[in-house]
Amino acid sequence: HPPAAILDGNAATSWRPDRGPSTVTVDFLRPREFGGLSITWDSTRRAGAYTVSTSDDGHAWRWVESRMGGIGAVDHLYLPDSEARYLRIATERRESPTHPGIVDVVIHPAEGFSSHNQFMAMVARSARRGLYPRYFLGERANWTVVGVDRAREEALIDEDGVIEAGLGSFRVEPFVRVGSELLTWADVRRTRALHQDRLPIPQVSWHATALRLDITAFALGPDTASSLIGRYRIHNTSGARLRGALHLALRPFQVNPPWQFLGVPGGTAAVELMVPGPAGIRASVNREVGAVTPNSRTVMVRGADIVEYLLRDSPVTRRGGSFLGPPSAALTWDIDIGPGDSATVVIEIPLVAGGSRRLSAHHAVAIDSVLDKVAAGWSAAVDRATITLPGDGAQISNTIATVIAHILINRDGPAIQPGSRSYERSWIRDGALTSAALLRFGHADAVREFIEWYAKFQYADGKIPCCVDARGPDPVPEHDSHGEFIYLVMEYFRHTGDRGMLARMWPHVAGAAAYMDSLRQIPVTDTMFRGLLPPSISHEGYSAKAMHSYWDDFFALRGFKDAATMATILGQGDDAQRLARIRDAFARDLYSSIETAMVRHRIDFIPGAADIGDFDATSTTIAVSPGGELERLPRAALDRTFERYWSEAMARRDSASTWEAYTPYELRTVGTMLRLGHTDRALALLTDFMDDREPREWNQWPEVVYRADRAPRFIGDMPHTWVGSDFLRSVAELFAYERESDSALVVGAGIADAWLDGSGTAVHQLGTWWGKLSYTVQRVGSRTTMRIAAGITVPPGGVVVQLPGIDRGGVVMVNGVSAPATAAGTVVVRSLPAVVEVTR
């Protein structure tokens, strides 16, 4: 029977069943471009095999595609950049005694189908919901990272329970058959969790009428040969026996969605081949999906989608599909579970190409013990320094642990990186501030590795590259990098006292300082720019046009200060004096420029860039921390900067607000608000940022948060661990921060009133410039007691304790002796250990 419709009226068709294979020929009447076609088959007369060819004259034919069988009700063929006058579909009789039946052929125009992602979006929209990734429907399923510390390859798992087997690789997608019903992500209610609510072992649960499927992903092994483990546990939640099958489909789609365009573009995956492997399937990326749990069946197709076989629920034993197009496959286990019982299936995917599996069949029944061992390893890694909070504060404690783990997973060897996909590169900018966070929480070893690795890429003239990736250092001029590197070296020393490391890095520091000094001496005609660093694009807002960014200059001042201090420590007297002169001259020029810019642009806040007088409080935070310039900044302008920021941040709470998106780098403002004396605002901001975790159960942030929930827009990376490091630094400052103006350690300034109740707050081994800080604080009745352990060196300015109650006229006792409180509501402790009691 001729097709019911072919594209439009500008074509002629002929149906010739008498010439061997049955054929359909389309004459477009003129040469035309097209991007693909969709063939709808008569359900009782699908083709056993068919070939698609094109021709310009109707005589000489070009082979385009061959398929071994019409698999589903509709076959979609992606044929990009095709142009011809004639199109022919030649079918063979294999599955039916009658001629194959084509009900409909739709030929898709080239426009709008220039990419495989666009074509698959059309396919998904025409299919049953749940059969294809939700991103092809314009919906976002959030994801998280799975891996081991230092490994160069990480996997992803999304909220639908789909696992991505590595950068740009295929996905492993669950389907469950119960009776005649095939359950997909769209047919179930889904929930998320982390192991112990904090470790980087994510779980997705499917909740259906008669069952619950728990999908748990974790990685194990050394960083050079790690594996991804998927544990699929089906619980029979009904009162009857549950019979069916668990299908794990390997499909050429990533978890990373198409709108993620940096690094490896998301969406479809470049998988050329899938073949049977030892107890599993081996893909063309030289990666095997191993069935740790035995008794699985394997089906593989090419060109068509394996889901079509799963829908038909037919015992296919041969390979189907086409000679072209991406392959797909499935591993299947039959399930037969009594009421209240469960069954577990385990797979393993070596994350190193060509890697060997670590688990064998006997591990399938002991998989929980394997997971417990992995969890214990992560607990040891993330609990070197801890902040334990009661009640709702536990989510902050849990997020601290998760973020630390994600930072370690995202790094490749010594290279600290903010992401595993879009931002799988190392910036000294991200690395310096992430390292500062790691130093707080006990990971000086990772910071030392990063410093030593990054220093190797310094140019001969002393320039520190802004970024390093697999191709080497990036030559783009981003002038914050030099100050950031010097700051990082000195910050490492302040936390560790490692003088040997300081001495080894001194030539690199001296070179970076000299390079910065040469930049500031470049002649300029505008006095507002005199003595500053040249324009650069280090700040994202200036990528279109380089600006005189104060972000660069505050990092440069930090660098000059630290270089002068470092020279003094190392006994480099002449260098110390010279660098001190440069430091002071640069500071004068910087503050003069800020004053001039405020006048010229008629603004009352500290601008982000001298050129345009823009408002950017998130950038200005750097002047306060780590810049250490709180006491020298023009205080009135500083206060107005963060007053305006507070108003704008609070406006996001208003449902009538028209904001579209923001970057959670704004987490830096929590620490700045605290240092400015606005504890209540700091805590309110932190609460709002915690609410914007995506998803909250996985304790992570993307680089961009949109007002529209799950907006299908570029989000940077997820988790984005430079954002995570801003969270770590700001949260740590709530409990302790260094005050440079008088060399004091301020303790407890950001402790919320609610965190004093119940078991109270416990800080254990938190890194500071003066050593590892440990203390507890708890309220019983009207008395609040802080116990500070020995273990840190009391700084020259003392340990400044700031607790709720001191600022309200409470009676303060230090080690049983009455102690006077300052006007700021603090008390200074001069010796440790110490017990500070406040009675209201």
Side-chain angles (χ1 to χ4, degrees), residues 187-241:
D187 305 311
V188 297
R189 181 175 62 87
R190 299 166 308 284
T191 57
R192 304 159 298 265
L194 288 178
H195 195 71
Q196 299 177 13
D197 296 326
R198 67 194 192 104
L199 299 181
I201 302 172
Q203 178 174 297
V204 175
S205 295
W206 286 15
H207 303 267
T209 301
L211 63 87
R212 187 182 82 243
L213 170 63
D214 294 331
I215 305 158
T216 305
F218 61 97
L220 52 76
D223 60 281
T224 55
S226 62
S227 284
L228 172 68
I229 308 300
R231 186 188 70 179
Y232 300 81
R233 180 162 289 162
I234 300 180
H235 303 264
N236 183 351
T237 58
S238 73
R241 198 155 194 88

Side-chain angles (χ1 to χ4, degrees), residues 17-258:
D18 56 336
R19 298 188 182 181
S22 302
T23 63
V24 171
T25 302
V26 180
D27 181 356
F28 296 124
L29 307 180
R30 59 176 175 79
R32 69 179 301 166
E33 296 178 345
F34 54 95
L37 65 151
S38 299
I39 306 172
T40 302
W41 299 98
D42 184 318
S43 61
T44 63
R45 297 187 295 123
R46 292 189 178 92
Y50 63 93
T51 298
V52 178
S53 305
T54 59
S55 174
D56 296 326
D57 58 8
H59 299 287
W61 292 91
R62 296 182 297 272
W63 174 85
V64 173
E65 166 74 294
S66 294
R67 290 211 169 176
M68 298 174 68
I71 297 173
V74 182
D75 282 355
H76 300 283
L77 283 71
Y78 179 50
L79 306 173
D81 303 319
S82 295
E83 182 176 4
R85 172 172 171 173
Y86 298 93
L87 173 74
R88 184 171 67 188
I89 304 170
T91 67
E92 296 181 10
R93 288 184 263 181
R94 287 188 181 177
E95 295 185 359
S96 171
T98 58
H99 292 289
I102 297 177
V103 175
D104 190 43
V105 176
V106 174
I107 300 171
H108 303 288
E111 299 80 10
F113 295 99
S114 59
S115 74
H116 201 186
N117 281 331
Q118 291 175 314
F119 188 82
M120 290 310 305
M122 179 276 298
V123 173
R125 288 193 297 269
S126 65
R128 168 186 155 188
R129 179 175 174 82
L131 296 184
Y132 288 89
R134 68 166 68 238
Y135 53 63
F136 287 135
L137 303 176
E139 302 172 11
R140 188 175 92 210
N142 291 320
W143 63 92
T144 193
V145 68
V146 182
V148 302
D149 182 14
R150 301 185 90 258
R152 296 186 178 277
E153 189 70 84
E154 301 85 31
L156 302 178
I157 181 172
D158 72 11
E159 295 176 286
D160 293 331
V162 178
I163 292 171
E164 180 182 300
L167 180 67
S169 190
F170 57 87
R171 67 199 258 139
V172 179
E173 186 170 357
F175 295 86
V176 178
R177 177 167 292 282
V178 180
S180 61
E181 184 180 13
L182 185 69
L183 296 178
T184 75
W185 58 261
D187 305 311
V188 297
R189 181 175 62 87
R190 299 166 308 284
T191 57
R192 304 159 298 265
L194 288 178
H195 195 71
Q196 299 177 13
D197 296 326
R198 67 194 192 104
L199 299 181
I201 302 172
Q203 178 174 297
V204 175
S205 295
W206 286 15
H207 303 267
T209 301
L211 63 87
R212 187 182 82 243
L213 170 63
D214 294 331
I215 305 158
T216 305
F218 61 97
L220 52 76
D223 60 281
T224 55
S226 62
S227 284
L228 172 68
I229 308 300
R231 186 188 70 179
Y232 300 81
R233 180 162 289 162
I234 300 180
H235 303 264
N236 183 351
T237 58
S238 73
R241 198 155 194 88
L242 180 67
R243 294 183 176 91
L246 171 66
H247 305 289
L248 298 183
L250 282 62
R251 306 173 76 188
F253 310 123
Q254 303 172 58
V255 162
N256 207 29

Side-chain angles (χ1 to χ4, degrees), residues 677-761:
H678 302 306
T679 302
D680 290 346
R681 291 183 175 184
L683 293 171
L685 287 170
L686 179 60
T687 297
D688 287 349
F689 291 127
M690 292 293 289
D691 288 344
D692 283 340
R693 287 169 295 167
E694 295 188 358
R696 295 183 189 180
E697 297 90 342
W698 285 348
N699 299 336
Q700 62 183 20
W701 289 268
E703 186 186 30
V704 184
V705 170
Y706 292 92
R707 182 185 182 194
D709 188 41
R710 302 175 184 277
R713 305 267 305 273
F714 179 76
I715 59 170
D717 238 314
M718 185 183 292
H720 193 285
T721 44
W722 186 21
V723 168
S725 76
D726 286 327
F727 163 78
L728 292 179
R729 291 190 307 114
S730 277
V731 166
E733 290 190 349
L734 296 177
F735 301 91
Y737 69 85
E738 297 85 5
R739 193 165 66 195
E740 288 188 61
S741 60
D742 61 352
S743 295
L745 181 65
V746 181
V747 174
I751 295 178
D753 193 71
W755 299 343
L756 301 175
D757 295 330
S759 58
T761 291

